[in-house]
Amino acid sequence: MIPQKLDMWDPRELQHRVKEVGADLRSVPYFMRKRGVLCLRLGPVDFRAANALKQELLARGGDAVVHGGAIAGTVDRTRVILMGTPGQLHSLQEKLAHMPYFGLEEVRSGLKAALDNLDISNWEVPLPGGRVLSLGRITKVMGIINLTPDSFFPGSRHQGPDGALETAERMLSQGAHVLDLGAESTRPGSDPVSPEEELTRMLPPLRAIRREFPEAVISVDTYRSATARACAAEGADMVNDISGLSFDPEMARTVADSGCALVLMHIKGRPKDMQQNPTYRDLLGEISDFFERQMDLAERGGIPRDRIILDPGIGFGKTYQHNLEILRQLEAFSTHGRPILIGASRKSTVGIATDSKDPEDRLEGTLAITSLCAMRGIALVRVHDVEENVKTIKMIEAVKEAGL
């Protein structure tokens, strides 16, 4: 049970979260004074565990948001938002080691992992051949090279090795740190291509780019183990699996054997049907639980955690409001201790927010999201327009570093 980190600086966010937990809304003014501390959301937990957590945190000068019926025992379980300084929360998890009841052992384990993971801000992601991808201090850019005739943004479509090679050269010169090659469109409503067609589109451009740019970090966007295996043999460094290892049972072992890094993305459904009324009882909690399950699966398959990058999957089985909640709480999944990738470039969420029906008109909205990611310390952004996004990140970094 890994809790999620919440940003509660906006009073409206605090009120929303208090209501979501089911706490008495009259308590909002009291929590308002404490919203600037570290806030970790977990659960649902046994109501007795929730009461214990609140009492222990109050004793340390912190607090906890619990359901209004927890004290009287009129609810069996409740979500909890722990509010405290890192020192108070570390003290809490140490005390929980002496409280082996009501499920508090699991709470302690998750809380300790979250607190330890929040101290991690730099990663050296191993790649094949002994190379590494350094992530952390400055947001880096993954450039999209679509080898498809039907991707949702026409400006990103490239056919054959020559076009892909030209795009790769341009992106690398503009500051891309990773090139992401995809040979099957996974836009909402899309039909899958055959495995043979995917490889026919993917391998010649991959070979050409690897030959011309031997030091480039190349990712392949595929959920098929056969494609990942063939691409790794041709020099791919990373597998970007939109299914998070959930579509192909052989993918974990394939990635493990290849030595490639893995982007493990959350999705609900499949591209053909994923946008048909996706619903969640607990968006952040369900994505967090998915990450933990799938990282465990990856480890059992032989992929060490230090080779994993997490992507919450903007637009993959999420509504407009779901996507905005993820963007508003970009640090929610930092408690897993792995670098986070955000791929929102020119997607429909940008179109809705900026009233831009044509993907061609969504650059400014995309740059706003990239600015947000850079301010919040997101490790990677996956984008169509490398130069513009690199410049945006440089501006944000200049502000962050000024006078330091």
Side-chain angles (χ1 to χ4, degrees), residues 37-339:
V37 295
L38 180 57
C39 298
L40 297 177
R41 176 178 176 274
L42 58 88
V45 301
D46 186 290
F47 76 95
R48 295 167 296 181
N51 288 332
L53 290 167
K54 186 174 182 71
Q55 183 171 337
E56 291 293 338
L57 264 178
L58 284 169
R60 289 162 173 77
D63 209 336
V65 183
V66 303
H67 192 283
I71 293 177
T74 56
V75 295
D76 292 329
R77 299 178 70 77
T78 173
R79 294 191 185 97
V80 180
I81 300 175
L82 306 176
M83 307 175 75
T85 65
Q88 290 165 346
L89 293 173
H90 275 290
S91 175
L92 171 65
Q93 71 89 10
E94 290 169 359
K95 176 64 179 294
L96 292 179
H98 305 286
M99 301 171 66
Y101 40 77
F102 308 145
L104 287 170
E105 306 97 320
E106 184 183 5
V107 172
R108 187 200 68 80
S109 176
L111 177 57
K112 183 180 187 306
L115 292 170
D116 290 346
N117 288 337
L118 285 173
D119 290 335
I120 304 171
S121 58
N122 293 283
W123 300 268
E124 297 290 316
V125 180
L127 302 174
R131 295 182 301 149
V132 297
L133 175 63
S134 298
L135 297 173
R137 194 180 71 81
I138 297 175
T139 299
K140 293 190 173 180
V141 170
M142 172 185 278
I144 301 168
I145 301 180
N146 284 321
L147 309 171
T148 62
D150 57 347
S151 294
F152 79 94
F153 175 40
S156 70
R157 299 171 187 169
H158 305 284
Q159 296 294 307
D162 292 341
L165 189 59
E166 180 181 341
T167 300
E169 183 174 18
R170 182 180 73 251
M171 287 183 168
L172 291 170
S173 70
Q174 292 171 344
H177 302 89
V178 183
L179 301 175
D180 191 45
L181 279 61
E184 175 181 307
S185 175
T186 51
R187 72 191 188 285
S190 61
D191 291 309
V193 301
S194 69
E196 295 77 17
E197 177 64 20
E198 184 182 30
L199 281 173
T200 297
R201 294 175 180 179
M202 182 79 84
L203 291 181
L206 170 60
R207 292 185 186 115
I209 294 171
R210 175 51 73 213
R211 182 176 61 250
E212 291 298 317
F213 303 104
E215 296 305 312
V217 178
I218 301 176
S219 166
V220 290
D221 183 351
T222 185
Y223 53 81
R224 294 187 178 96
S225 60
T227 301
R229 187 179 304 108
C231 290
E234 296 291 346
D237 300 298
M238 183 183 299
V239 175
N240 182 5
D241 182 0
I242 65 160
S243 82
L245 304 180
S246 66
F247 289 178
D248 186 333
E250 298 301 318
M251 182 63 97
R253 175 53 59 187
T254 298
V255 174
D257 292 343
S258 72
C260 287
L262 172 70
V263 177
L264 194 156
M265 196 193 81
H266 175 271
I267 189 173
K268 191 164 192 174
R270 287 179 174 259
K272 183 68 176 177
D273 60 12
M274 63 187 179
Q275 293 306 106
Q276 295 176 10
N277 192 33
T279 56
Y280 297 83
R281 294 184 63 186
D282 176 5
L283 175 69
L284 300 180
E286 288 178 43
I287 295 174
S288 182
D289 289 346
F290 175 87
F291 283 155
E292 196 59 26
R293 286 195 309 273
Q294 298 309 102
M295 283 196 289
D296 286 345
L297 175 65
E299 285 190 304
R300 292 196 302 273
I303 306 171
R305 288 207 178 196
D306 66 355
R307 280 164 48 188
I308 297 175
I309 297 167
L310 301 177
D311 178 354
I314 297 291
F316 284 83
K318 283 99 179 168
T319 65
Y320 172 62
Q321 290 298 330
H322 292 148
N323 294 326
L324 293 182
E325 182 175 355
I326 292 169
L327 293 171
R328 192 170 69 245
Q329 295 292 346
L330 278 172
E331 296 176 76
F333 311 112
S334 59
T335 50
H336 291 280
R338 300 307 307 146

